[in-house]
Amino acid sequence: MAKKSKPLTDSVPIIADPNTDWYSRFTDFDISLFRAGKHYKLYEKLGSHVVTHQGLQGTYFAVWVPNARHVSVEGNFNGWNKTSHPMQVRWDGSGIWETFIPGISTGEVYKYYISSNTGDKLEKADPFALRWEEPPSTASIVWDTWYEWRDADWMKTRFQKNALNKPMSVYEMHFGSWARNIESPGEFLTYRQMAEQLIPYIKNMGFTHVEFLPMMEHPFYPSWGYQITGYFAATSRFGTPQDFMFLIDELHRNDIGLILDWVPSHFPGDEHGLYRFDGTHLYEHADMKKGFHPDWKSYIFNYGRNEVKSFLISNAIFWLDRYHADGLRVDAVASMLYLDYSRDAGEWIPNEFGGNENLEAICFLKEFNEAVYSNFPDVQTIAEESTAFPGVSKPTYTGGLGFGMKWMMGWMNDTLEYFSKDPVHRKYNHNRITFSTEYAFTENFMLPFSHDEVVHGKGSLLNRMPGDEWQKFANLRLLYMYMFTHPGTKCLFMGNEIGQSREWDFDHSLDWHLLEHAPHQGINELVKSLNHLYTSQPALYEKSFESTGFEWIEGGDAENSVLVYSRKGHERDNDLLIILNLTPVPRTGWRIGLPAEGRWKVILNSDDVKFYGSGFSTDQEVISEQIFWHGKEHSGLMNLPPLGGLVLRLLKK
């Protein structure tokens, strides 16, 4: 029989005796790793775990609350009694409290009642809970992550799918607003319903990966998931953890990778969450000049506290381990790197050298990437980082942060600014469209047109394009042509591939009815064709992050706003030629320098009528002439469609 505890008082905590039969999942080595910030599988130890102890089935609970005088487990099983099921604090000074309660099993709802040394009386959800109640309820649920995975083939070969010299075209999506229940538009699709609808669509469109905005439990739906309270729990809005695993399993079985948004930068101040967890600033900095985020009115993790580092890195490992995620896109990295991010003079504290770099966060990010790639060398970490911080995607042993890739925010901003200009003015902004190649190979860049570009009054991408209806769609097709032929991997937010007309609304489904109309069908068909082009042409991905994979043929024709460049793979026979006419003026008899002698065939034309283009007469083949042009020994004459892009490939002899 399990050893019973005496009732605890608020002032005299009972210390667990290591010489008794008290059940614990912690070894001395676990504790030393935890306190050193090096325990990366804390989810196996802390939290709630259904176990059998001395012949009795029950649940073991463990929570880190170093400044508590009394901790107990309350829930439906004891009528939410705050004293009937006390926990014991470990004897080793770790601040971990434990108990084993017989008779409690999967599905039990609970919280921790904490009486703090500060005098606070707190009711907290479990930071390591594997499932939470569906919001607005806030309690934790005893659960497990057992699932019979069927994705062995994917896991065995995913190093090939995630490699830096392979194509990665990511479909970024917000789960709750991709589509809603047809019979009841106010209801979300469940994880299993999403598997039925999303996977055929992704396969048809040709995306290689799906990226979900944060799927961890969050109390405030309009935060899009970026204000997390349950870091180890898939949100219950759409089903159980096993339901989410089923969706991931089915994605993998259909050769689609999964990237999860991960938010180690901040957390909300909800009273049941991490904020002042034991009555003190346990997870966050006590000084709000370092601990409060002014943009999001949330709290910043204390990256210098070893136990917090163990919590965060364990969380990253958890999603890769238990949920088979193929990558983590780390949100708001810039806000972590700089102490003065979104702060005025006097509102921040310099580091020990007087600078504005957050040295503790930098160290944490390096440790995070080292831990991830040591345990899962076949995944990718991707940084959303908007500054010129050096070496974000360079190895830590060379001084970098160790990410696999970095979002190319400068390219995104310059490109959208350029395309928003009336074509008559583009010649005065030519540098915006060519400047990216000056730094394109300083990092492993991913090109994003993300959710942030279609919210907060920015409007949809379609309505940021100038001109009449036809020109708006032609500009959008040309924008995507430029994106998919530019060096770097790709990330496109949901709705952009159908030419969504209105700004994204997290509370409603995408406007799928738009696909009944030819212009939107054309955009959809073009994105599908671009994905096929990208994944089938080695020149577009083999050297995505190498300067030898790109060459300007003509990048200086500002007057006519025509760009000509070549993309190159390992084999010269695979080289491609890309021509973009960034004005609505058709160009006839336009001479283009060709990288090699021979017959060049048009393999994609964004102005094709099947994409709702004009169908302007463009030769399907160009035969080279020995006429020096654009610095090349051979050239050819072409007709360039209005607001159109062409991709050509040399025909093999």
Side-chain angles (χ1 to χ4, degrees), residues 385-438:
E385 205 286 306
S386 56
T387 74
F389 192 92
V392 171
S393 60
K394 301 303 179 185
T396 56
Y397 62 79
T398 66
L401 294 182
F403 284 93
M405 282 176 269
K406 169 182 172 174
W407 272 17
M408 199 174 188
M409 309 292 277
W411 170 87
M412 178 194 69
N413 291 326
D414 284 344
T415 299
L416 290 178
E417 179 67 21
Y418 178 88
F419 270 86
S420 69
K421 303 291 185 186
D422 188 295
V424 74
H425 300 302
R426 286 179 177 170
K427 62 183 177 182
Y428 306 113
N429 295 271
H430 193 72
N431 187 56
R432 285 190 180 276
I433 202 67
T434 59
F435 178 64
S436 61
T437 56
E438 294 292 319

Side-chain angles (χ1 to χ4, degrees), residues 19 25 41 70 76 89 143 175 194 199 245 248 333 399 416 425 435 490 502-503 510-511 561 569 611 619 624 638 647:
N19 298 313
R25 296 175 74 88
K41 288 195 173 182
H70 165 82
N76 289 336
V89 63
W143 210 260
F175 200 97
M194 185 65 79
I199 291 171
M245 292 174 190
I248 298 169
V333 171
L416 290 178
H425 300 302
F435 178 64
K490 325 299 175 187
R502 61 176 175 85
E503 188 172 88
L510 294 179
D511 294 333
S561 299
F611 304 136
D619 292 334
S624 66
M638 294 203 66
V647 180

Side-chain angles (χ1 to χ4, degrees), residues 201-251:
Y201 180 74
I202 293 297
K203 289 190 71 174
N204 181 52
M205 291 301 299
F207 290 98
T208 64
H209 292 69
V210 172
E211 176 187 332
F212 290 138
L213 272 59
M215 298 300 291
M216 301 79 181
E217 196 59 82
H218 53 283
F220 187 52
Y221 180 69
S223 76
W224 314 335
Y226 288 100
Q227 299 271 356
I228 297 171
T229 47
Y231 271 80
F232 290 83
T235 179
S236 295
R237 290 174 175 86
F238 315 118
T240 68
Q242 282 71 22
D243 291 335
F244 188 32
M245 292 174 190
F246 172 81
L247 169 58
I248 298 169
D249 203 14
E250 289 300 298
L251 285 167

